[in-house]
């Protein structure tokens, strides 16, 4: 995606890091053959055309390759960091510049920025939630309940997040199904 086709909104440390990020993403892609095969199929079939995905995950080269698959499949993807300490700033920059993903992630961001970034993801009215720790799910269920109607389901990666969501389900307050993908 040419630089003049950048997403309108994003917050990363520095887009000039994108070349290094792209090199790392493509390097990691060599060891992710299953995602590569899915990406090939999605390029032809576009099964996610028009679907808005909101993700709160580690912003690493591995996640970047998953985001590439989703975008190739037609999804409109917005990503924020689930752990600011694991964010790779160059990877975040490349996702914005090269793949058109709205990314809200800066290595070492403070708690206020983290919360703002989650709010940016929620503002896109995601239909599918991909979470790592249930912070995005929790924000939707507590601060942004007006956005719950858009969500049809989600995924959760961590045991901690699954425990949080199971507690909500037991209380009868989980507004949509979530798959444990740990």
């Amino acid at each position: 995606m040419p630089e003049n086709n950048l997403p309108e909104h994003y917050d990363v440390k520095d887009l000039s890091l994108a070349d290094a990020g792209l090199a790392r993403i493509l390097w990691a892609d060599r060891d992710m053959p299953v995602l590569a095969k899915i990406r090939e199929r999605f390029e032809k079939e576009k099964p996610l055309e028009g679907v808005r995905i909101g993700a709160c995950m580690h912003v690493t080269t591995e996640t970047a390759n998953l985001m590439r698959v989703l975008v190739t499949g037609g999804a409109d993807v917005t990503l924020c960091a689930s752990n600011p300490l694991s964010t790779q700033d160059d990877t975040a920059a490349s996702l914005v510049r090269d793949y058109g993903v709205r990314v809200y992630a800066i290595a070492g961001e403070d708690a206020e920025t983290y919360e703002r970034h989650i709010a940016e993801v929620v503002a896109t009215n995601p239909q599918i939630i991909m979470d790592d720790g249930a912070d995005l799910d929790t924000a939707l269920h507590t601060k942004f309940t007006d956005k719950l109607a858009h969500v049809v389901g989600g995924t959760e990666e961590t045991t901690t997040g699954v425990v949080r969501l199971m507690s909500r389900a037991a209380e009868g307050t989980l507004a949509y199904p979530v798959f444990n993908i740990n």
Side-chain angles (χ1 to χ4, degrees):
M1 172 173 285
E3 195 165 41
N4 61 355
N5 287 328
L6 291 172
E8 187 176 344
H9 301 285
Y10 59 90
D11 188 15
V12 298
K13 182 176 183 177
D14 184 353
L15 279 182
S16 73
L17 300 172
D19 286 343
L22 180 60
R24 285 168 45 123
I25 291 168
L26 296 177
W27 178 81
D29 183 57
R30 297 181 313 176
D31 292 323
M32 303 177 88
V34 174
L35 278 182
K37 287 287 187 191
I38 294 169
R39 191 173 55 246
E40 286 176 22
R41 180 176 171 189
F42 277 20
E43 191 165 30
K44 295 173 190 160
E45 297 175 9
K46 301 290 184 195
L48 300 172
E49 193 71 47
V51 175
R52 293 181 310 277
I53 297 176
C56 183
M57 303 175 78
H58 293 275
V59 181
T60 62
T61 55
E62 296 83 4
T63 299
N65 279 294
L66 175 59
M67 297 300 111
R68 289 177 61 207
V69 170
L70 299 173
V71 168
T72 299
D76 178 8
V77 178
T78 306
L79 169 67
C80 70
S82 64
N83 182 341
L85 299 177
S86 66
T87 296
Q88 298 169 347
D89 287 322
D90 55 351
T91 299
S94 178
L95 279 170
V96 170
R97 186 195 72 186
D98 300 313
Y99 302 104
V101 177
R102 285 181 302 277
V103 178
Y104 298 90
I106 300 169
E109 66 191 31
D110 61 26
E112 182 180 323
T113 304
Y114 179 71
E115 294 295 325
R116 183 172 43 84
H117 285 169
I118 287 175
E120 292 286 357
V121 173
V122 172
T124 66
N125 296 317
Q127 297 163 292
I128 297 174
I129 302 300
M130 299 177 74
D131 215 344
D132 184 343
D135 285 351
L136 183 54
D137 286 307
T138 299
L140 279 160
H141 283 83
T142 58
K143 298 178 186 175
F144 304 102
T145 56
D146 60 315
K147 303 290 187 174
L148 287 171
H150 299 284
V151 181
V152 295
T155 64
E156 171 54 49
E157 281 191 50
T158 67
T159 302
T160 302
V162 168
V163 168
R164 292 171 76 185
L165 294 168
M166 286 177 65
S167 173
R168 188 171 293 286
E171 295 168 356
T173 61
L174 185 61
Y176 46 83
V178 179
F179 290 94
N180 173 1
I181 59 168
N182 188 352

